[in-house]
Amino acid sequence: MIKCNQLRWGAPGQPLTPAIDIALAKGSLTGVIGANGSGKSSLLKVIAGLQKPLAGNVILQVPRRGGLSFLAQQHYLDRQFPITLEELVAAGFWGSQETPLQRRQRLRAVLKGWCLDGLERRPLMALSGGELQRALLARLSLADAPLLLLDEPHAALDEEGQALLWKHIHAWHAERRTLVVVCHDLAAVRRHLPQTLQIKSSGCVLAPSKDLILQQPRMQVA
């Protein structure tokens, strides 16, 4: 599903890591960890085709229909843009061939599934950080992409919202979608993600999460 061949990325002339070769199988669920500035977000952008690599390439094997969905960090979103929560979520229907009735039914179900029913008419500027994050995640639920790249999807979510997030991530995984999740919560990585890619300036390691996280300082796991 995702294959990186001698991949290097970062600012021009300043690669963040040595060249890496990794392969993530179809239907896999992978975490990405590393220090601030290590290149986690930019790696997802390179995989998504939003940023060019410095060297090497990325090969994606995804169906044309559905393709991939990329959840960027919400600070990239213009909250002054004059649309409602419902309109933001409904953008997930882009390219869909469903009937208007099917769209309305699915939209209602997804809003309820992310505990957003009753907030449909609120403008983006009136949403809390957690409500906005759940709206962005709800948009992914409508897209039905076989490949999901999630950059810190837990950001701004309270405990209830994070439980909801992991519930959906496991449901997507059960549907044999491929997921790559950047996450700073090492305890959550160990609990929810079978394998993890650790990014360091000295190199990258892909290993079972329980093995990799045990090597981290205890204070980072707590």
Side-chain angles (χ1 to χ4, degrees), residues 30-32 38 52 60 62 73 85 139:
T30 307
V32 180
S38 61
K52 291 184 177 181
L60 300 181
V62 295
Q73 295 179 32
L85 179 146
R139 183 173 62 176

PDB file of all heavy atoms in Angstrom, residues 30-32 38 52 60 62 73 85 139:
ATOM      1  N   THR A  30      -0.451   2.145  11.629  1.00  0.00           N
ATOM      2  CA  THR A  30       0.912   2.517  12.012  1.00  0.00           C
ATOM      3  C   THR A  30       0.944   3.879  12.693  1.00  0.00           C
ATOM      4  O   THR A  30       0.354   4.843  12.204  1.00  0.00           O
ATOM      5  CB  THR A  30       1.823   2.571  10.767  1.00  0.00           C
ATOM      6  OG1 THR A  30       1.731   1.340  10.044  1.00  0.00           O
ATOM      7  CG2 THR A  30       3.269   2.835  11.148  1.00  0.00           C
ATOM      8  N   GLY A  31       1.640   3.968  13.804  1.00  0.00           N
ATOM      9  CA  GLY A  31       1.867   5.236  14.465  1.00  0.00           C
ATOM     10  C   GLY A  31       3.164   5.862  13.989  1.00  0.00           C
ATOM     11  O   GLY A  31       4.057   5.165  13.470  1.00  0.00           O
ATOM     12  N   VAL A  32       3.280   7.162  14.148  1.00  0.00           N
ATOM     13  CA  VAL A  32       4.520   7.887  13.850  1.00  0.00           C
ATOM     14  C   VAL A  32       4.841   8.749  15.063  1.00  0.00           C
ATOM     15  O   VAL A  32       4.012   9.552  15.498  1.00  0.00           O
ATOM     16  CB  VAL A  32       4.387   8.771  12.590  1.00  0.00           C
ATOM     17  CG1 VAL A  32       5.707   9.504  12.322  1.00  0.00           C
ATOM     18  CG2 VAL A  32       3.979   7.948  11.381  1.00  0.00           C
ATOM     19  N   SER A  38      11.063  16.837  14.124  1.00  0.00           N
ATOM     20  CA  SER A  38      11.771  15.681  13.561  1.00  0.00           C
ATOM     21  C   SER A  38      11.318  15.340  12.151  1.00  0.00           C
ATOM     22  O   SER A  38      12.009  14.622  11.431  1.00  0.00           O
ATOM     23  CB  SER A  38      11.585  14.455  14.469  1.00  0.00           C
ATOM     24  OG  SER A  38      10.215  14.116  14.583  1.00  0.00           O
ATOM     25  N   LYS A  52       7.268  17.710  -2.032  1.00  0.00           N
ATOM     26  CA  LYS A  52       8.200  16.892  -2.799  1.00  0.00           C
ATOM     27  C   LYS A  52       9.324  16.370  -1.902  1.00  0.00           C
ATOM     28  O   LYS A  52       9.836  17.107  -1.052  1.00  0.00           O
ATOM     29  CB  LYS A  52       8.802  17.695  -3.952  1.00  0.00           C
ATOM     30  CG  LYS A  52       7.808  18.031  -5.057  1.00  0.00           C
ATOM     31  CD  LYS A  52       8.499  18.734  -6.208  1.00  0.00           C
ATOM     32  CE  LYS A  52       7.523  19.016  -7.338  1.00  0.00           C
ATOM     33  NZ  LYS A  52       8.187  19.695  -8.495  1.00  0.00           N
ATOM     34  N   LEU A  60       2.377   4.518  -3.879  1.00  0.00           N
ATOM     35  CA  LEU A  60       1.108   4.223  -3.218  1.00  0.00           C
ATOM     36  C   LEU A  60       0.296   3.290  -4.113  1.00  0.00           C
ATOM     37  O   LEU A  60       0.154   3.546  -5.311  1.00  0.00           O
ATOM     38  CB  LEU A  60       0.306   5.503  -2.970  1.00  0.00           C
ATOM     39  CG  LEU A  60       0.937   6.574  -2.093  1.00  0.00           C
ATOM     40  CD1 LEU A  60      -0.010   7.752  -1.946  1.00  0.00           C
ATOM     41  CD2 LEU A  60       1.299   6.021  -0.732  1.00  0.00           C
ATOM     42  N   VAL A  62      -3.251   2.508  -4.192  1.00  0.00           N
ATOM     43  CA  VAL A  62      -4.606   2.784  -3.717  1.00  0.00           C
ATOM     44  C   VAL A  62      -5.542   2.834  -4.911  1.00  0.00           C
ATOM     45  O   VAL A  62      -5.141   3.231  -6.008  1.00  0.00           O
ATOM     46  CB  VAL A  62      -4.670   4.124  -2.945  1.00  0.00           C
ATOM     47  CG1 VAL A  62      -3.859   4.058  -1.669  1.00  0.00           C
ATOM     48  CG2 VAL A  62      -4.196   5.273  -3.814  1.00  0.00           C
ATOM     49  N   GLN A  73      -3.177  19.356  10.639  1.00  0.00           N
ATOM     50  CA  GLN A  73      -3.428  20.007  11.921  1.00  0.00           C
ATOM     51  C   GLN A  73      -4.356  21.205  11.697  1.00  0.00           C
ATOM     52  O   GLN A  73      -4.245  21.913  10.699  1.00  0.00           O
ATOM     53  CB  GLN A  73      -2.113  20.444  12.559  1.00  0.00           C
ATOM     54  CG  GLN A  73      -1.210  19.275  12.924  1.00  0.00           C
ATOM     55  CD  GLN A  73       0.102  19.712  13.533  1.00  0.00           C
ATOM     56  OE1 GLN A  73       0.177  20.728  14.212  1.00  0.00           O
ATOM     57  NE2 GLN A  73       1.154  18.946  13.287  1.00  0.00           N
ATOM     58  N   LEU A  85     -20.600  24.158  10.408  1.00  0.00           N
ATOM     59  CA  LEU A  85     -20.033  22.836  10.703  1.00  0.00           C
ATOM     60  C   LEU A  85     -20.564  21.796   9.726  1.00  0.00           C
ATOM     61  O   LEU A  85     -19.810  20.970   9.216  1.00  0.00           O
ATOM     62  CB  LEU A  85     -20.362  22.451  12.148  1.00  0.00           C
ATOM     63  CG  LEU A  85     -19.871  21.072  12.625  1.00  0.00           C
ATOM     64  CD1 LEU A  85     -19.483  21.124  14.096  1.00  0.00           C
ATOM     65  CD2 LEU A  85     -20.919  19.994  12.406  1.00  0.00           C
ATOM     66  N   ARG A 139     -15.646  14.561   8.634  1.00  0.00           N
ATOM     67  CA  ARG A 139     -15.501  14.722   7.178  1.00  0.00           C
ATOM     68  C   ARG A 139     -14.763  13.527   6.580  1.00  0.00           C
ATOM     69  O   ARG A 139     -15.115  13.049   5.497  1.00  0.00           O
ATOM     70  CB  ARG A 139     -14.753  16.029   6.874  1.00  0.00           C
ATOM     71  CG  ARG A 139     -14.607  16.315   5.396  1.00  0.00           C
ATOM     72  CD  ARG A 139     -14.018  17.685   5.147  1.00  0.00           C
ATOM     73  NE  ARG A 139     -12.675  17.828   5.694  1.00  0.00           N
ATOM     74  CZ  ARG A 139     -11.919  18.924   5.534  1.00  0.00           C
ATOM     75  NH1 ARG A 139     -12.405  19.964   4.881  1.00  0.00           N
ATOM     76  NH2 ARG A 139     -10.716  18.979   6.053  1.00  0.00           N
TER      77      ARG A 139
END
